[in-house]
Amino acid sequence: MDRILPDVLSVPIARAIEKVYAYGPMADKTVILVPAFVTSHVEGLAEAIGFDVETLSYTLGMFLCYPLGMIMASLPYGKIRHLFSFLLGAFLLQFTLGKQWIHQLIAVVISYIFMLILPPKITKTVVPTFIMLYVTLGHLHRQFVNYLGWDLDFTGSHMVLAMKLYSLAYNLYDGDLIRLGKETRATQKCAHLAVTGVPGIIEFLGYTFNFSTILAGPAFEYKIYADACEGKNLFDDNGKPKGKIPSQVMPTLKPFLLSLICLVAFVVGNAKFPLLDPTDPQNFTPVIITEEFWKKPWVNRYAYSWVALFFIRMKYYFAWKNAEGASNIWYAGFEGFDKEGKPKGWENSNNVDIIDFETAPNVKTLSAAWNKKTANWLGRYVYMRTGGSLVATYGLSAFWHGFYPGYYMFFLSVPLVTMCERLGRKKLSPRFSPNKWSLYGICTIVATSLIVEYIVIAFQLLAFDWAVEAWKSHYFFGHILCILFYGIVSQLPTPKTKGA
C-alpha cells in the first residue's frame, strides 16, 4: 500500500511499523513449543513437494487437530482439558505463524485484565472496542506491507479471537443483568449463553487458544466450550448421562472425509481455473481481466469465472469441515440432549452447509448457510444490541474483514440484491409453487447463483481497479438486471393472500 499512499502518510506509517518490528527478536524467544528439528523438517518437505512453508504448516496444523482431539477426548473433565486446549492451541499458532503468535497472547491477556477490573457494563464496550481495534490495525498493517498478498499472518486467527472475546464480554454482561433481574430483550434471547462470572485464567486461555478452532474457527460460545470440557453437555450434576450418548465416529468421519474431497478439489480446480495470475497473483493482472481473456465470448468468460469461484470456495469448505470434525471428536460440536433425553444434534461446530449454500434460492438462505458462526455472532452481539441496525451490523462485518475496496464493493452491492429478493418474495413467489425444486424454485436458484457469483468477484480480487474491470468485462449485468428487475416487478400488483 506504500505505493498507493502519498509520502506524507506512508513515511510515518513505515517508521511506526519499524519501531514495532524492533521487538521482533523478543517475540522470537517466545516460540518455545516447536522444536527446531520440526521446523527444519517441514521446510524440507515443503521444498520437496513444491509447497510454500506457510501453506504446508497450516494444512498440517489442521490435520494435527484430529490426533489432538482424540487425546482431548481421553482426558478427565476439568482443568486438565482447559490446560491441554491452551497449550496445544499455542503450539499450533507457533507452528503455523512463528513469532506472530504473540499477538494472540497480548490481546488475550489485555482483554482478561479488562474483564477482571471493569464491571460487565463497561467490559461489554471496552473489550469489543479493543479487540476490533487490534484486528483493524492488523488488517491495515497487512495491506501496507503486503498489499494484495495472500500470505498467511496473524490476522486470520485474530478474526476468530475477536468473535470469541466480543461474545464473552456480552455473555458476562448478560449474566450480570440476569443476576440483577434487569434482563433486556436481547439478554433474554441469549440467556442460555450467559456467563455468571469471569472464567479462571486456565479456562479463559483454553477457550481463546482452543486448538480445534484456533486456525479456522468456528468461534463457538464460551459456554459451549466450557460444557464440553467439563462434560456438562453429556452428564448431569450427579455424573449420570443425560441420555444415550451418541457415538462421535460418524460426526467426525463425515466432515473429515468431506474436507479431504474439498482440499483435493481446491488444489486441482484452482490450478486448472485460476482467478489470479498463478506466476505472481499479487502484481500481475488477474487472468479474468487480461486482454487475451476479453477476446473470448462473454458466456465463456462468465462460465470460467463461475467455475473459478466455485473452486476457491473449496478452500473454505476444507478448513471449516476439517475443524468441524476435529471439534466433534471430543464432543465440542455436540448440542446435548432435549428434555426427553434425545440427542439434539452436532450443530455447535458446523460452520457451513455446503449443499444449502450451493443451491440457495435467495440471499437470505445463502447467508444463513455460509460462515454460520460469524452470522450468529453478528446477529446476537451487533444486530440485536443495536436495535436491529443493519448499518452497524454490515459496518462491523466489513471492518472485521479488512479494508480492501473489493470488500466494500461487494458489501454495498448486497443490499441491492436483497431489495430485489424481498420484492420478488412479495410480488412473485405467491404466484408459484413454494417447492424449492419446482420450475420457479430452480429459476430462483439459478438467478441467485448468477448474481451472487458476479458481485463476489470484487471480494476476491480485492483491488478497486481489478474489481471494476471484472464487472466491466461482464457488462455490469448484475447491477443492471437488479435495477431493471426492481423497476419492473415493483409495478406488479401484490397477490392477495389466502383468507384476505
Side-chain angles (χ1 to χ4, degrees):
M1 186 176 280
D2 56 342
R3 67 175 185 255
I4 297 176
L5 294 176
D7 289 344
V8 68
L9 291 176
S10 63
V11 172
I13 292 175
R15 289 174 179 170
I17 291 175
E18 287 177 4
K19 290 182 179 180
V20 175
Y21 283 1
Y23 294 96
M26 294 176 61
D28 283 325
K29 295 178 181 179
T30 67
V31 184
I32 59 176
L33 298 177
V34 183
F37 75 87
V38 172
T39 303
S40 61
H41 273 73
V42 172
E43 291 174 350
L45 179 61
E47 184 176 355
I49 63 177
F51 269 45
D52 62 86
V53 177
E54 293 173 341
T55 301
L56 181 60
S57 297
Y58 181 85
T59 305
L60 290 175
M62 293 291 294
F63 286 117
L64 188 58
C65 289
Y66 281 80
L68 296 180
M70 294 177 187
I71 297 174
M72 183 75 155
S74 67
L75 293 175
Y77 293 115
K79 286 190 180 295
I80 187 66
R81 284 198 172 200
H82 293 290
L83 185 61
F84 180 85
S85 179
F86 162 57
L87 290 176
L88 274 300
F91 166 80
L92 287 175
L93 273 189
Q94 293 185 10
F95 179 67
T96 55
L97 299 179
K99 64 184 176 184
Q100 291 191 52
W101 89 282
I102 199 66
H103 290 286
Q104 184 99 355
L105 184 63
I106 291 172
V108 165
V109 170
I110 293 176
S111 297
Y112 190 65
I113 292 173
F114 282 146
M115 291 179 182
L116 286 176
I117 66 175
L118 297 175
K121 184 177 181 179
I122 305 300
T123 300
K124 65 132 173 117
T125 300
V126 172
V127 170
T129 301
F130 163 71
I131 192 59
M132 287 305 300
L133 179 61
Y134 207 135
V135 170
T136 296
L137 292 175
H139 283 313
L140 291 175
H141 165 263
R142 178 187 177 94
Q143 289 181 219
F144 186 83
V145 303
N146 191 28
Y147 191 67
L148 298 180
W150 290 90
D151 295 346
L152 189 67
D153 72 352
F154 77 93
T155 53
S157 61
H158 232 62
M159 290 168 72
V160 177
L161 177 65
M163 289 189 284
K164 290 184 177 181
L165 294 175
Y166 201 115
S167 301
L168 182 54
Y170 270 98
N171 296 154
L172 291 167
Y173 175 62
D174 288 339
D176 193 52
L177 289 182
I178 293 172
R179 180 181 62 84
L180 297 172
K182 298 180 179 180
E183 299 99 322
T184 63
R185 185 178 180 183
T187 297
Q188 291 173 349
K189 290 184 177 181
C190 299
H192 62 293
L193 301 169
V195 178
T196 55
V198 179
I201 184 62
I202 299 300
E203 289 81 359
F204 186 77
L205 290 172
Y207 173 59
T208 51
F209 278 85
N210 175 239
F211 67 91
S212 64
T213 63
I214 198 165
L215 296 180
F220 39 64
E221 305 277 355
Y222 174 78
K223 198 169 187 302
I224 292 173
Y225 160 80
D227 284 352
C229 283
E230 294 160 17
K232 292 183 178 179
N233 60 340
L234 300 176
F235 303 95
D236 61 22
D237 294 337
N238 297 318
K240 295 181 179 180
K242 295 180 179 180
K244 185 179 179 181
I245 299 176
S247 169
Q248 78 272 50
V249 173
M250 287 309 298
T252 297
L253 194 58
K254 183 179 177 181
F256 173 71
L257 293 177
L258 187 55
S259 75
L260 290 179
I261 294 172
C262 292
L263 177 61
V264 172
F266 169 70
V267 172
V268 175
N270 194 53
K272 185 76 173 177
F273 299 93
L275 199 68
L276 303 175
D277 190 301
T279 56
D280 189 352
Q282 189 172 357
N283 297 298
F284 291 176
T285 302
V287 172
I288 62 171
I289 57 174
T290 59
E291 291 184 10
E292 181 180 353
F293 194 77
W294 269 70
K295 295 177 182 178
K296 298 180 180 180
W298 175 78
V299 172
N300 293 18
R301 296 200 307 270
Y302 183 80
Y304 181 98
S305 297
W306 192 98
V307 173
L309 289 167
F310 172 78
F311 284 119
I312 286 175
R313 287 197 294 279
M314 292 296 148
K315 173 176 62 176
Y316 299 97
Y317 294 158
F318 156 69
W320 289 336
K321 285 301 174 183
N322 187 281
E324 179 182 339
S327 297
N328 288 347
I329 294 179
W330 56 285
Y331 286 92
F334 183 59
E335 297 175 84
F337 301 91
D338 60 21
K339 294 180 180 180
E340 298 178 355
K342 297 179 180 179
K344 293 180 181 179
W346 297 80
E347 274 298 303
N348 285 342
S349 58
N350 182 13
N351 207 30
V352 63
D353 293 322
I354 298 177
I355 300 300
D356 288 349
F357 181 86
E358 295 294 340
T359 62
N362 51 62
V363 175
K364 182 180 179 181
T365 302
L366 183 142
S367 300
W370 175 267
N371 206 353
K372 296 162 70 174
K373 298 302 177 282
T374 299
N376 289 345
W377 165 60
L378 291 170
R380 291 169 181 158
Y381 307 112
V382 183
Y383 184 78
M384 285 198 297
R385 312 294 172 147
T386 57
S389 172
L390 288 175
V391 174
T393 305
Y394 282 118
L396 187 72
S397 178
F399 267 67
W400 180 74
H401 278 92
F403 299 94
Y404 281 111
Y407 294 155
Y408 295 85
M409 295 169 72
F410 167 77
F411 282 120
L412 290 174
S413 298
V414 170
L416 177 62
V417 182
T418 302
M419 286 170 56
C420 293
E421 172 193 310
R422 290 175 177 174
L423 183 66
R425 282 204 301 266
K426 178 182 178 181
K427 300 278 190 176
L428 297 179
S429 295
R431 305 172 189 271
F432 301 95
S433 169
N435 190 319
K436 178 179 179 179
W437 298 107
S438 65
L439 180 59
Y440 175 74
I442 294 173
C443 288
T444 60
I445 292 172
V446 172
T448 299
S449 179
L450 289 175
I451 297 298
V452 170
E453 293 289 346
Y454 159 81
I455 64 173
V456 83
I457 291 174
F459 192 96
Q460 286 297 323
L461 294 183
L462 304 178
F464 177 80
D465 53 341
W466 286 356
V468 170
E469 281 298 309
W471 281 351
K472 182 180 178 182
S473 73
H474 299 307
Y475 311 108
F476 299 98
F477 84 89
H479 292 90
I480 293 173
L481 284 180
C482 283
I483 294 172
L484 289 175
F485 178 89
Y486 195 88
I488 295 172
V489 176
S490 62
Q491 302 304 310
L492 298 176
T494 303
K496 293 182 179 181
T497 57
K498 292 182 179 181

